[in-house]
Amino acid sequence: MVTIPLDEFGEYDPEECYQCLLQHPAVTSECRCGLCCRGLLIEVLTEDAEREPRIKELGSPLLTPPDESGHRHPVGYILNSREDMACVFLDRATNLCTIHETRPLLCRLFDCDGEGREQLIELGIIQRDE
Ligand code: SF4
């Protein structure tokens, strides 16, 4: 079932709608540096895990506080590995994403050649001239 997100005025907000954002053309970065997959916190949505079930297997779930029956429910997943902090789906040898076709929305929209690059510079992950 698709949930239509409404803002506080009950209006439909396409910028908050996962299914709408998924229809945006994916950003294609030319750099292939893999630095965003190695240096950023990769926090993805439960919707991403429904599209790509390996996220549930390899990601670290972010859980709600226990409900009245003591159950905690996933609200998202962290994809950084415990060993080197790079994404668990990054092929370290090639810098390619091993779930490219079904990668999370966050990754589909991250512009490593544009705004995303500025973010990497601001975070000190790369230098301005790299
Ligand atoms: S899912 Fe793929 S594109 Fe996204 S951070 Fe991991 S390796 Fe990179």
Side-chain angles (χ1 to χ4, degrees), residues 15-108:
E15 292 302 315
E16 294 295 324
C17 171
Y18 183 88
Q19 293 300 330
C20 303
L21 293 171
L22 205 54
Q23 303 309 314
H24 282 222
V27 174
T28 52
S29 299
E30 301 294 328
C31 66
R32 301 284 184 274
C33 65
L35 289 171
C36 47
C37 310
R38 292 177 189 274
L40 294 176
L41 179 68
I42 315 291
E43 182 180 335
V44 304
L45 304 170
T46 52
E47 290 92 333
D48 295 311
E50 293 306 319
R51 287 195 305 109
E52 173 46 80
R54 284 173 287 180
I55 289 174
K56 289 181 190 170
E57 292 171 27
L58 297 178
S60 303
L62 297 165
L63 301 171
T64 60
D67 61 19
E68 53 283 349
S69 57
H71 293 111
R72 302 178 72 191
H73 304 277
V75 292
Y77 294 85
I78 298 288
L79 299 187
N80 301 81
S81 80
R82 293 177 204 278
E83 287 75 36
D84 63 2
M85 293 306 290
C87 177
V88 292
F89 295 111
L90 180 70
D91 182 324
R92 278 30 173 205
T94 63
N95 269 347
L96 296 177
C97 176
T98 57
I99 56 167
H100 182 75
E101 289 304 316
T102 53
R103 65 197 184 283
L105 179 64
L106 169 89
C107 308
R108 290 177 58 83

